[in-house]
């Protein structure tokens, strides 16, 4: 499609600007047809008018207090070859932005990891299919919406995903298969793709290299703060940047957590390298967090490499020149993953669970996950009660190999149990004081081997019930 040039009118009146936009839309048959078919009255006005003096739309769900475990959003400089923009497409009843466009330079490579949920969403299916088709080469854009998961929607949902990719590919003049999609929100509702199509003009017009904070806020659902991380790394003497944003607060469990994460670098890496690194570090980051034990239909983590920094191309994951980059990429992913836990729905405690002495890494992981997901353990954290008996329960119910008479349990540096019984040095006052901290660490040695694992979790409070009890209202 031949695109009409966007008129630059810094000194023109708002009327002139709107006339230019109207001309642009009129010359785009696809967008105009869709809009005429489904938008009338107030909906059209809501989508098309944005008074200059209007208060900015606020992300997240109204009425939610910011998590006490929140961390500030970092200063995120641009990543070469990446532009971002956000818009309000009307997927929420309240006033907020809900649609993100990320546009990438030609030649950008991409890799992804996705939910293992057996009822995956239409955007997850789309991304998997297109990454197979284009082999992760020359991915040009990502379009993401919050407010509608487009999951469990059958063929209508798949058609909506395809139309979204088609509309954007026409807008930026690329192939459909070079568009990645992501959605988050309510399950069981078909995506009204016409809402996104109606915003593409504004999204393309407003693309900027420095819109990372807005992007992170736009993809929030029940999140109470935007999540981001940034690092620089050296590849063969060339400095490259890694930026990442994520969303997630509830329905968070390994494989992968109910989350979206988008990470971009200006390094020059083959799709195979990206896929290897992403899969490797997902295990120790996004697959090591849990809020409630529930896995989402829409989990998506995409890693993009634009090559804009001018670093040498790396085609082997084992290349020694990648050592610093690997470390920094894992740091970005770890920071994003732990921010998901800090924003766990209703969370007041950030908890790291360590398991040692297990018979295998898989066994250690299952035990750690059992502890981290036990409602009884999590409510004890909420009540600031060092109830190590509940931890023993969570260990034993896994039916994994353990030596009952060698189990040891610590809260921080304080020993609660050892040699299969309460510790002779147990100090209730010291333990109670430790449990009042906002960040806790629980370590369990099960005494049968040398394997280890860790899982990050949070407590379970009344806030979790309140947030999820009226999620759709």
């Amino acid at each position: 499609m031949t695109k009409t040039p966007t008129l630059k009118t810094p000194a023109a009146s708002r009327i002139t600007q709107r006339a230019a936009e109207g001309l642009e839309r009129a010359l785009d048959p696809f967008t105009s047809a869709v809009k005429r078919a489904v938008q009338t009255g107030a909906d059209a006005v809501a989508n098309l008018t944005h008074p200059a003096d209007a208060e900015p739309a606020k992300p997240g769900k109204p009425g939610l207090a910011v998590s006490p475990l929140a961390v500030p959003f970092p200063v995120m400089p641009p990543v070469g070859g990446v532009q971002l923009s956000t818009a309000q497409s009307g997927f929420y009843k309240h006033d907020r932005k809900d649609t993100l466009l990320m546009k990438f330079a030609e030649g950008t490579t991409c890799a992804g990891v996705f939910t293992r949920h057996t009822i995956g969403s239409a955007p997850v299916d789309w991304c998997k299919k297109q990454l197979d088709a284009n082999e992760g080469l020359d991915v040009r854009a990502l379009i993401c919406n919050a407010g509608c998961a487009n999951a469990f929607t059958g063929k209508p949902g798949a058609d909506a995903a395809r139309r979204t990719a088609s509309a954007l590919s026409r807008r930026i003049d690329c192939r459909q298969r070079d568009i990645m999609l992501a959605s988050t929100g309510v399950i069981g509702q078909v995506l009204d793709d016409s809402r996104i199509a109606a915003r593409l003009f504004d999204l393309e017009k407003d693309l900027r290299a420095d819109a990372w904070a807005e992007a992170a806020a736009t993809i929030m659902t029940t999140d109470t703060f935007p999540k981001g991380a940034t690092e620089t790394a050296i590849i063969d003497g060339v400095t490259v940047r890694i930026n990442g944003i994520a969303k997630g607060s509830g329905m968070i469990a390994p494989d992968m957590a109910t989350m979206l994460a988008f990470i971009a670098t200006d390094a020059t890496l083959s799709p195979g390298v990206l896929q290897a690194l992403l899969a490797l570090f997902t295990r120790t980051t996004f697959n090591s967090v849990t809020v409630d034990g529930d896995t989402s239909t829409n989990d998506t983590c995409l890693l993009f490499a634009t090559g804009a920094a001018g670093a040498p191309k790396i085609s082997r994951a084992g290349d020694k020149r990648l050592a610093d980059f690997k470390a920094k990429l894992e740091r970005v992913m770890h920071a994003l993953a732990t921010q998901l836990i800090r924003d766990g729905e209703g969370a007041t405690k950030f908890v790291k669970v360590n398991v040692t002495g297990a018979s295998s890494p898989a066994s250690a992981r299952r035990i750690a996950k059992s502890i981290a997901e036990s409602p009884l353990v999590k409510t004890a954290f909420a009540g600031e009660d060092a109830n190590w008996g509940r931890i023993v329960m969570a260990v034993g119910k896994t039916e994994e190999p353990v030596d009952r008479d060698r189990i040891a349990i610590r809260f921080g540096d304080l020993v609660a149990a050892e040699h299969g019984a309460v510790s002779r040095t147990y100090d209730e006052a010291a333990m109670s004081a430790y449990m009042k901290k906002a960040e806790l660490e629980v370590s369990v040695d099960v005494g049968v081997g040398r394997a280890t694992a860790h899982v990050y979790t949070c407590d379970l409070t009344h806030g979790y019930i309140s947030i999820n009890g009226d999620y759709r209202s």
Side-chain angles (χ1 to χ4, degrees), residues 234-240 266-270 307-316 319 321-322:
I234 304 297
I235 298 179
D236 201 22
V238 178
T239 299
V240 301
D266 49 13
T268 309
L269 306 174
S270 71
K313 182 177 180 179
I314 305 293
S315 300
R316 292 188 309 105
D319 194 311
R321 293 174 293 177
L322 273 182

Side-chain angles (χ1 to χ4, degrees), residues 65-79:
V66 175
S67 168
L69 306 172
V71 295
F73 194 83
V75 176
M76 294 179 67
V79 171

Side-chain angles (χ1 to χ4, degrees), residues 109-122:
T109 54
C110 178
V113 291
F114 305 93
T115 182
R116 295 183 185 177
H117 201 288
T118 55
I119 307 175
S121 67

Side-chain angles (χ1 to χ4, degrees), residues 388-410:
W388 55 268
R390 292 183 179 181
I391 292 175
V392 171
M393 173 278 299
V395 170
K397 75 175 184 178
T398 64
E399 301 184 8
E400 291 295 323
V402 301
D403 186 335
R404 182 187 63 186
D405 296 328
R406 296 182 64 186
I407 290 177
I409 302 172
R410 293 175 180 266

Side-chain angles (χ1 to χ4, degrees), residues 50-74:
H50 295 276
D53 57 351
E55 182 180 349
K58 296 179 181 179
K61 187 173 181 178
L64 293 184
V66 175
S67 168
L69 306 172
V71 295
F73 194 83

